[in-house]
Amino acid sequence: MSDIPPTDPAIRARGLIKRFGDLAAVDGIDLDVPRGEIFAILGPNGAGKTTLIRMLATLLTPDGGEATVLGHDLTADPQAVRGAIALTGQFASLDEDLTGRENLILLARLWGFSRRDARARAEALLADFDLADAATRQVKAYSGGMRRRLDIAASLIVTPGVLFLDEPTTGLDPTARQKVWRLIRQLAGSGVTILLTTQYLEEADQLARRIAVVDHGRKIAEGTSRELKAQVGEGFLSVTLADASRLDEAADLLAAQLGARPGRNAEDSRLTVRAGSAAEANAALAALIAAGIEPSDFSMGAPSLEEVFFALTGGPGAGREATE
Amino acid sequence: MTDPAFARTTRPAPPGPFANALTFGWRAVLKFKHVPEQLFDLVMTPIMFTLLFTFVFGGALAGSTGDYLQYFLPGILVQTVIFNAVYSGMGLCTDITKGLFDRFRSLPIWSLAPFAGLIVGDVLRHLIAGGIILGIGLILGYRPEAGVPGVLAAFVLLLAIGFGFGWVFLVVGLLVRTPTTVLTLSFSVLFPVVFASNIMVQPETMPGWLEAFVRANPISWMTTAMRGLLSGTATAGEVVAALAAPAALALVLMPVTLRLYRRNA
């Protein structure tokens, strides 16, 4: 994988398009993923993240545009791309009937390891991924976190130049998620370029050096999390309501006051909206209280990545259909 | 994780297509070890068919259970192989729904290797099921007049039949979304085609239109050749006729399988 100049990006895509019938799941995306970095594709369900990653991993043929992965052309030489990458899909792609060890040996043998080397490689990976105790158990008896770890281990039989991780922590509990995060950081530390998709802003913020925000098959923003925050602007007002049932009413009021639609988080009845200045925020809060809507908490500050995301995508992706 | 193993392992020389296929075959063998239930499925149906037909209908159909067994056993071997070929399609469909196939597709391996592996599994299944049925037949009094050479020839034909039909269900497995659908869809087509053959009864007893269908049914040709090989009366023409359908299926469906595999799922 050192056959291209080290300054070239690991992934370079121009105008990638994938259509399913009338729907353009990916609608002209450019991407430059620097080598050795963690790069996150952030977007709601159905934004086209999985389609994008499946194209880059040679599982889907693009309908338009072009891309190279570690210098290999995606359409002209997919087999060379396959030799340089590994993909960990959204669902643990393992044989559930086999044991953890057998799954790894199977893949190592497919890569061309001798029987003995395949076994040694499997043992080493199992130990590294904290799965040595479960090596002889069938994968169907594994917990979600164990499956994920084995799934990632299965992608590392031969250290890939680029590792694609499609929503690596979806469905994991917080402890398991932390474990996977640590693993991803370690991998990046050992020089692997990682392209991951996520719908969790926290995940992108925590892991990725650069983030591309994708919505409706298009890239709507890209940068470091700091750049993205700066792009949306400072001065975000965040209001938590005491009475969640008045969320709609409060959102309308804030929108009227500040001229921007608030992002909303129904879970903790919180609204976030860009407020030009402290004075404007103050006036908006006063209007809320005058209307008899009691804020249980409010703050003014730099936007969180979540707020940036809502500002960019125009709302927290409610009612969006999953097309992936 | 102090000294992570994932730091840099160089890729070994790429293995050949045959080595890839063997690895997938090894996976099929492991499945037998971990899911022995599938063997139960595999042989229980044909054993029940053999026993029920022989003892329940045998006397009525052929005058005596012994005569009927002599007629029926070669046919039940054909039926078993065709029914069991459905399991590969199911296995393929399971791999696809679990995302395992995506992993295989993202590996730099021979693209037909996963299918070759399924076929290795098929061959093993056919040999096991065929052996058990023949064994039970022998216990019940079935006698292959052509002896060991006849039995060997019959089993070679049996594997050819299984190989040809295997592709049908691989295509179904690639097209259909859930493994259960593969099973129900395949059997709803297979049942009439297999029953409307000369496996169970002589076609002379059927209405004219059905008799015409049964005589044109390639499953009847296969069954006739199996009877011939086991009793030592087979003609070259019968064997060629029996191989026609499996050969045609494999020739037509292999490229279709590859296309579907490479198609954008």
Side-chain angles (χ1 to χ4, degrees):
Chain A
M1 48 166 287
S2 51
D3 48 352
I4 60 165
T7 48
D8 279 15
I11 299 171
R12 187 190 141 89
R14 290 293 173 268
L16 276 186
I17 295 175
K18 183 72 205 177
R19 289 189 201 87
F20 296 114
D22 287 339
L23 176 87
V26 170
D27 196 6
I29 286 187
D30 295 348
L31 216 54
D32 284 286
V33 178
R35 296 170 145 241
E37 280 189 11
I38 304 179
F39 191 103
I41 310 272
L42 176 66
N45 260 333
K49 304 185 300 288
T50 299
T51 306
L52 177 62
I53 218 167
R54 284 171 63 86
M55 269 196 283
L56 292 170
T58 77
L59 296 179
L60 289 174
T61 323
D63 292 323
E66 52 181 30
T68 56
V69 177
L70 293 169
H72 306 294
D73 191 280
L74 203 59
T75 38
D77 198 358
Q79 199 73 350
V81 174
R82 288 178 198 130
I85 61 155
L87 166 74
T88 300
Q90 221 171 94
F91 309 99
S93 22
L94 303 158
D95 189 328
E96 302 204 336
D97 293 328
L98 305 191
T99 67
R101 178 191 282 138
E102 285 163 350
N103 265 286
L104 295 180
I105 294 180
L106 173 72
L107 291 164
R109 295 283 287 151
L110 289 175
W111 274 101
F113 282 82
S114 72
R115 209 174 293 258
R116 210 183 50 195
D117 290 350
R119 202 174 173 83
R121 185 71 185 140
E123 296 305 337
L125 284 167
L126 287 167
D128 271 353
F129 284 79
D130 224 353
L131 291 167
D133 294 339
T136 55
R137 257 191 281 156
Q138 278 178 287
V139 171
K140 62 172 74 149
Y142 279 27
S143 70
M146 290 162 75
R147 273 169 204 242
R148 244 316 128 174
R149 296 209 299 282
L150 183 64
D151 203 16
I152 295 176
S155 294
L156 303 176
I157 303 277
V158 169
T159 313
V162 176
L163 175 62
F164 296 100
L165 296 170
D166 196 7
E167 305 204 359
T169 64
T170 299
L172 295 189
D173 64 49
T175 323
R177 172 178 295 185
Q178 289 290 343
K179 256 185 173 170
V180 170
W181 280 0
R182 204 161 56 229
L183 213 70
I184 293 173
R185 288 198 192 97
Q186 266 185 309
L187 267 172
S190 73
V192 178
T193 306
I194 294 172
L195 180 66
L196 63 89
T197 71
T198 181
Q199 17 178 342
Y200 302 121
L201 300 122
E202 193 197 352
E203 186 158 275
D205 209 3
Q206 285 275 329
L207 290 176
R209 168 144 21 191
R210 289 182 74 76
I211 300 165
V213 184
V214 170
D215 196 24
H216 296 298
R218 296 180 160 277
K219 185 167 81 178
I220 52 176
E222 190 192 315
T224 61
S225 88
R226 186 188 301 252
E227 283 165 359
L228 288 176
K229 288 172 186 170
Q231 191 178 333
V232 172
E234 301 288 317
F236 262 71
L237 172 65
S238 166
V239 185
T240 308
L241 300 189
D243 180 3
S245 65
R246 306 193 68 180
L247 212 54
D248 288 330
E249 201 185 329
D252 291 343
L253 237 168
L254 288 177
Q257 285 285 321
L258 296 165
R261 246 185 77 215
R264 46 195 302 170
N265 186 333
E267 244 167 74
D268 50 5
S269 52
R270 188 158 50 91
L271 294 168
T272 12
V273 61
R274 188 166 162 185
S277 66
E280 282 177 60
N282 204 11
L285 274 173
L288 273 188
I289 294 163
I293 302 172
E294 194 73 29
S296 67
D297 186 26
F298 62 88
S299 64
M300 181 81 180
S304 71
L305 197 50
E306 187 171 28
E307 286 148 4
V308 171
F309 182 69
F310 291 162
L312 288 171
T313 60
R320 211 181 289 266
E321 277 173 55
T323 51
E324 286 168 293
Chain B
M1 276 192 259
T2 41
D3 182 23
F6 46 66
R8 302 284 142 229
T9 295
T10 37
R11 182 181 166 186
F18 189 63
N20 279 160
L22 275 186
T23 304
F24 278 106
W26 173 69
R27 172 175 176 236
V29 176
L30 282 176
K31 288 263 190 186
F32 282 108
K33 190 176 105 189
H34 289 299
V35 198
E37 305 92 276
Q38 64 165 322
L39 278 177
F40 188 76
D41 275 355
L42 203 68
V43 295
M44 271 325 278
T45 322
I47 289 176
M48 290 216 316
F49 263 95
T50 312
L51 295 179
L52 284 174
F53 270 79
T54 304
F55 292 109
V56 178
F57 302 122
L61 292 173
S64 80
T65 53
D67 288 346
Y68 187 68
L69 186 63
Q70 205 64 23
Y71 177 80
F72 181 56
L73 196 113
I76 193 75
L77 287 171
V78 173
Q79 180 194 306
T80 302
V81 161
I82 291 175
F83 281 3
N84 281 346
V86 176
Y87 284 92
S88 277
M90 276 181 76
L92 176 60
C93 193
T94 309
D95 284 355
I96 292 171
T97 49
K98 296 269 181 214
L100 189 56
F101 229 62
D102 278 350
R103 185 183 290 288
F104 296 149
R105 285 177 65 206
S106 72
L107 289 175
I109 55 172
W110 179 45
S111 45
L112 271 180
F115 301 105
L118 288 168
I119 286 168
V120 171
D122 264 358
V123 167
L124 288 173
R125 266 193 290 271
H126 297 331
L127 287 177
I128 294 170
I132 290 178
I133 290 163
L134 183 69
I136 289 184
L138 291 172
I139 293 170
L140 295 178
Y142 172 76
R143 291 296 171 260
E145 286 104 345
V148 175
V151 169
L152 289 180
F155 268 69
V156 171
L157 175 61
L158 212 52
L159 290 184
I161 294 169
F163 178 79
F165 276 83
W167 294 100
V168 177
F169 304 110
L170 290 183
V171 169
V172 175
L174 282 166
L175 287 174
V176 167
R177 279 175 194 278
T178 68
T180 344
T181 318
V182 175
L183 193 69
T184 47
L185 184 76
S186 300
F187 275 101
S188 52
V189 175
L190 276 183
F191 259 110
V193 177
V194 166
F195 273 72
S197 74
N198 62 358
I199 288 183
M200 284 127 198
V201 289
Q202 306 272 17
E204 290 80 38
T205 59
M206 301 173 187
W209 58 270
L210 185 57
E211 189 188 339
F213 176 84
V214 167
R215 292 204 186 280
N217 187 348
I219 293 179
S220 300
W221 308 346
M222 297 172 201
T223 308
T224 303
M226 281 294 288
R227 289 202 179 105
L229 288 172
L230 287 166
S231 62
T233 60
T235 64
E238 283 174 357
V239 175
V240 170
L243 286 171
L249 287 173
L251 277 178
V252 173
L253 295 180
M254 240 189 270
V256 173
T257 308
L258 251 194
R259 266 190 73 112
L260 287 174
Y261 171 72
R262 293 209 175 117
R263 170 192 75 154
N264 303 322

